Amino acid sequence: QVQLVESGGGLVQPGGSLRLSCAASGFTLDRYAIGWFRQAPGKEREGVSCISSRDGSTLYADSVKGRFTISRDNAKNMLYLQMNSLKPEDTAVYYCAARLITCSRWPGAYGYWGQGTQVTVSS
């Protein structure tokens, strides 16, 4: 059974950091690109970052470039999103999602999704 489980969310003050984790099971992670998406209340789900399986190339939304870093550990079947210099506008439910090989900015391109983890940035 394919499963993605996010963890690491929470409440953090502006300027703080969090590291999200995504544990994958039921499939071989090294064949899949993994994307991080987020959805704030009343807003559409948006792509935050992605890392491909082929060469480990990464994509970032302009709003998080220089602050967020995506990484993967295929041996452990784990994905990570290091989030620094967090802002209130980063508040959302964060999801990891998987699709074969290459990244896509479109949520509909991903066939596997986790249940999400809440990130709240507030003083």
Side-chain angles (χ1 to χ4, degrees):
Q1 180 182 358
V2 173
Q3 194 172 20
L4 296 169
V5 179
E6 303 93 337
S7 61
L11 174 63
V12 63
Q13 291 187 342
S17 298
L18 283 174
R19 189 177 82 153
L20 304 184
S21 299
C22 174
S25 61
F27 64 101
T28 304
L29 187 62
D30 60 1
R31 296 186 65 226
Y32 286 79
I34 302 295
W36 283 99
F37 292 80
R38 66 186 181 187
Q39 188 165 20
K43 294 189 177 181
E44 292 186 353
R45 191 167 296 188
E46 64 171 348
V48 174
S49 183
C50 183
I51 185 166
S52 73
S53 68
R54 183 170 293 160
D55 57 5
S57 58
T58 57
L59 296 174
Y60 294 95
D62 288 343
S63 59
V64 307
K65 279 181 182 177
R67 300 189 298 122
F68 290 11
T69 303
I70 190 171
S71 61
R72 63 192 298 158
D73 185 336
N74 288 340
K76 295 183 178 179
N77 257 24
M78 293 292 296
L79 278 299
Y80 306 99
L81 185 69
Q82 179 66 44
M83 306 187 297
N84 299 329
S85 302
L86 283 162
K87 304 175 181 180
E89 52 262 43
D90 295 318
T91 296
V93 178
Y94 284 70
Y95 301 88
C96 63
R99 71 185 299 269
L100 282 172
I101 303 176
T102 58
C103 287
S104 172
R105 296 183 184 274
W106 179 45
Y110 293 77
Y112 304 111
W113 289 84
Q115 82 290 347
T117 185
Q118 176 71 46
V119 172
T120 302
V121 185
S122 175
S123 55

